[in-house]
Amino acid sequence: MTKLTNEELNKIREIKIHEILGIPFAGRRITIRCPLQTHKDRTPSFTLYPENNYFCFSCQATGQNAIDFTMALGFTFEESLLELIKYIK
């Protein structure tokens, strides 16, 4: 993988988790069923915040940006970057 600049890395961090999940961004927090494989969520417990961070009240998963989220999905850091680079416009 080519080395990314700090600017490119910051753009990747700023990708909205809403966009990754295919959920329209409404500018407010939303709670959905947890998309992570750590547990089977029957009721919404995964909260996405407008600041682009998240927390699951069931499995306690937490993260601050799109990289954290893709890594929680099971990707390595490098795989996360490769997956997220396609979201940069």
Side-chain angles (χ1 to χ4, degrees):
M1 171 176 216
T2 5
K3 188 173 181 177
L4 297 172
T5 66
N6 283 339
E7 182 181 337
E8 292 169 322
L9 196 54
N10 285 334
K11 282 183 182 181
I12 290 172
R13 282 188 184 107
E14 292 171 1
I15 295 167
K16 294 286 184 199
I17 297 169
H18 291 79
E19 185 177 350
I20 297 167
L21 292 172
I23 300 169
F25 180 66
R28 57 183 166 75
R29 77 174 187 197
I30 66 166
T31 303
I32 60 172
R33 289 175 53 194
C34 186
L36 305 177
Q37 300 298 318
T38 53
H39 66 99
K40 297 292 182 201
D41 203 5
R42 292 186 178 178
T43 58
S45 63
F46 186 87
T47 303
L48 291 169
Y49 296 94
E51 300 82 15
N52 205 33
N53 53 354
Y54 64 90
F55 180 75
C56 179
F57 290 91
S58 182
C59 70
Q60 307 299 305
T62 187
Q64 301 299 315
N65 55 51
I67 297 171
D68 291 345
F69 178 70
T70 53
M71 290 180 67
L73 289 172
F75 292 93
T76 65
F77 180 74
E78 291 81 13
E79 291 168 339
S80 292
L81 296 179
L82 289 172
E83 183 68 23
L84 293 169
I85 201 112
K86 59 186 165 190
Y87 289 93
I88 295 180
K89 297 169 173 105

